[in-house]
């Protein structure tokens, strides 16, 4: 019985690991690298844009993974460990606050405010949307499980037309997908992942590797093609990356083939990790790669210069990736160690809620406390 419980807490890990690596690479490109312009360095511009579009689908992989492995989540209580994970988030934010206080010596009250109210600055848009979907996932999966296969197929077709085909045709974010970080887009992907599993679609894909490589070449080639079109019409390359968004048809095809490839590897290697460690790693990843203090400091003081050789530029990207990866991994290990301390366990038990009713009551208590302390909070 104990062994069965342990196995239930193990989750397929390869998709989560690759998603984490993609998020780190994206952060390095956006923050630690000086984006090349087409006029100054056209070759490096296409290389930069190509790498960026290939890793931008990280926001697609995790919801697809959640939906595809729905049977592992449908009977879980996602609220059971929310207190623990919130404490992990709080400690991670506090760690970065203290670290940069000693490193730079200049922080504002706004930096401390964000620890308690991160949504006020929208640093964690993807994480907030994903957590919201994860909290609803048991109910969602129980409802989807009741549907017949024909109805699941119909839902996939209709939602794909609305969520992917129409935005690609009109080249606009019609539904507020927020470059793939919005709740609606992630909800769609979870449903797609569920459908891929129920309909056994991944098993039906033949010649997967050539199709994956072809889809990669398409999304990268579109940047070059659209750059030439933009130059001929506008005289610049302002619309070169119009299809370089996670919800475009081309990026979605690439995401599906990539996810299918990852799942094939998962089946062969069967690499699994505890759900607690995977969640801890994702929390560390999100905080360290999206915290405004981190991104501003890296961008301001450690950004890779553009006026170097291509070899040094690529080596700098690899080095920055390695540093982020090591720091995130070490901090995840630290958080797991801290979770065994008695004080941490007492705080977790104090904050723990087991039901949505309990969560609602805690929210009301917090709002009441916030109202009673508003003079202190807003004191200047």
């Amino acid at each position: 019985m104990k062994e069965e419980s342990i196995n239930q807490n193990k989750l397929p890990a390869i998709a989560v690991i690759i998603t984490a690596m993609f998020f780190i690479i994206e952060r390095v490109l956006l923050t630690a690298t000086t984006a090349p312009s087409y006029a100054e360095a056209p070759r490096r511009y296409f290389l930069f844009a190509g790498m960026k579009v290939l890793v931008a689908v990280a926001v697609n992989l995790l919801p697809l993974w959640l939906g595809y492995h729905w049977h592992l989540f449908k009977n879980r209580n996602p609220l059971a460990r929310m207190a623990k994970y919130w404490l992990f988030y709080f400690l991670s934010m506090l760690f970065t606050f203290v670290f940069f206080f000693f490193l730079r010596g200049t922080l504002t009250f706004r930096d401390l405010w964000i620890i308690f109210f991160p949504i006020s600055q929208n640093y964690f848009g993807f994480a907030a949307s994903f957590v919201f979907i994860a909290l609803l996932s048991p109910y969602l999966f129980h409802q989807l499980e009741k549907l017949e296969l024909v109805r699941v197929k119909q839902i996939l077709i209709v939602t794909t037309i609305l969520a992917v085909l129409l935005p690609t045709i009109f080249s606009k974010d019609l539904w507020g997908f927020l470059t793939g970080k919005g709740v609606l887009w992630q909800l769609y992907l979870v449903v797609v992942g569920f459908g891929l599993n129920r309909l056994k679609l991944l098993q039906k894909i033949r010649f997967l590797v050539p199709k994956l490589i072809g889809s990669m070449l398409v999304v990268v080639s579109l940047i070059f093609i659209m750059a030439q079109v933009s130059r001929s019409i506008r005289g610049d390359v302002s619309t070169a990356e119009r299809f370089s968004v996670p919800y475009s048809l081309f990026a979605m095809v690439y995401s599906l083939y990539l996810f299918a490839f990852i799942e094939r590897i998962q089946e062969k290697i069967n690499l699994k990790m505890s759900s607690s460690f995977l969640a801890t790693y994702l929390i560390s990843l999100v905080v360290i790669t999206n915290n405004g203090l981190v991104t501003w400091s890296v961008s301001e003081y450690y950004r890779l210069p553009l006026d170097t050789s291509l070899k040094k530029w690529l080596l700098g990207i690899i080095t920055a990736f390695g540093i982020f990866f090591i720091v995130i991994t070490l901090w995840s290990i630290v958080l797991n160690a801290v979770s065994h301390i008695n004080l941490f366990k007492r705080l977790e038990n104090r904050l723990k809620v087991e039901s949505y009713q309990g969560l609602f009551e805690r929210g009301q208590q917090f709002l009441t406390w916030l109202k009673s302390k508003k003079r202190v909070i807003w004191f200047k």
Side-chain angles (χ1 to χ4, degrees), residues 263-282:
E263 288 301 316
R264 294 265 179 99
I265 297 176
Q266 177 65 50
E267 290 177 3
K268 292 180 180 180
I269 299 178
N270 196 30
L271 176 63
K272 294 185 177 183
M273 295 182 181
S274 70
S275 57
S276 178
F277 181 78
L278 290 177
T280 305
Y281 195 88
L282 289 175

Side-chain angles (χ1 to χ4, degrees), residues 10-242:
K10 296 282 188 177
L11 296 175
I14 294 180
V16 179
I17 293 171
I18 292 178
T19 299
M21 294 174 66
F22 276 22
F23 272 125
I24 295 173
I25 295 172
E26 184 179 37
R27 176 49 58 199
V28 169
L29 293 175
L30 296 177
T31 303
T33 308
T34 302
S37 66
Y38 178 83
E40 296 177 356
R43 291 183 180 179
R44 199 171 299 191
Y45 167 81
F46 287 119
L47 178 60
F48 177 86
M51 289 190 294
K52 192 171 65 170
V53 71
L54 289 177
V55 299
V57 298
V59 295
N60 293 354
L61 295 179
L62 206 57
L64 284 172
W65 172 81
L66 176 64
Y68 188 77
H69 297 286
W70 62 275
H71 54 284
L72 299 176
F73 298 95
K74 68 172 183 175
N75 294 322
R76 290 174 181 257
N77 180 6
L79 288 173
R81 293 186 177 181
M82 284 300 295
K84 177 181 179 179
Y85 298 148
W86 186 88
L87 286 173
F88 281 168
Y89 155 78
F90 178 80
L91 289 175
S92 300
M93 290 292 287
L94 188 62
F95 166 74
T96 57
F97 181 88
V98 174
F99 177 80
F100 283 103
F101 176 77
F102 285 105
L103 183 66
R104 296 297 168 194
T106 55
L107 290 173
T108 64
F109 176 76
R110 173 178 168 273
D111 298 320
L112 184 60
W113 170 267
I114 292 171
I115 295 178
F116 297 95
F117 302 98
I119 198 171
S120 64
Q121 298 297 320
N122 199 28
Y123 287 156
F124 309 110
F126 170 80
S129 298
F130 185 77
V131 169
F132 178 76
I133 297 298
L135 290 174
L136 295 179
S137 61
Y139 173 79
L140 175 65
F141 293 147
H142 278 293
Q143 296 303 313
L144 291 174
E145 188 180 14
K146 299 175 184 177
L147 299 177
E148 297 180 357
L149 294 183
V150 175
R151 185 55 57 88
V152 172
K153 186 182 296 185
Q154 292 172 345
I155 290 175
L156 287 183
I157 293 173
V158 173
T159 55
T160 299
I161 292 174
L162 293 174
V164 179
L165 190 59
L166 291 182
T168 302
I169 293 174
F170 295 104
S171 189
K172 290 184 178 180
D173 184 4
L174 299 177
W175 317 112
F177 290 154
L178 304 176
T179 63
K181 298 176 182 178
V183 173
L184 290 178
W185 176 247
Q186 292 193 44
L187 177 61
Y188 162 73
L189 290 172
V190 169
V191 174
V192 170
F194 175 86
L196 292 175
N197 185 301
R198 283 289 306 276
L199 299 173
K200 308 296 181 184
L201 295 179
L202 296 189
Q203 290 80 356
K204 298 176 182 179
I205 299 177
R206 301 179 62 187
F207 309 109
L208 176 57
V209 173
K211 288 179 178 178
L212 172 59
I213 295 174
S215 65
M216 294 171 65
L217 292 175
V218 168
V219 294
V220 173
S221 299
L222 278 171
I223 300 173
F224 177 80
I225 295 172
M226 293 308 302
Q228 306 311 312
V229 173
S230 182
R231 286 184 64 198
S232 64
I233 297 176
R234 300 170 178 265
D236 56 32
V237 292
S238 57
T239 60
E241 299 179 48
R242 66 182 301 177

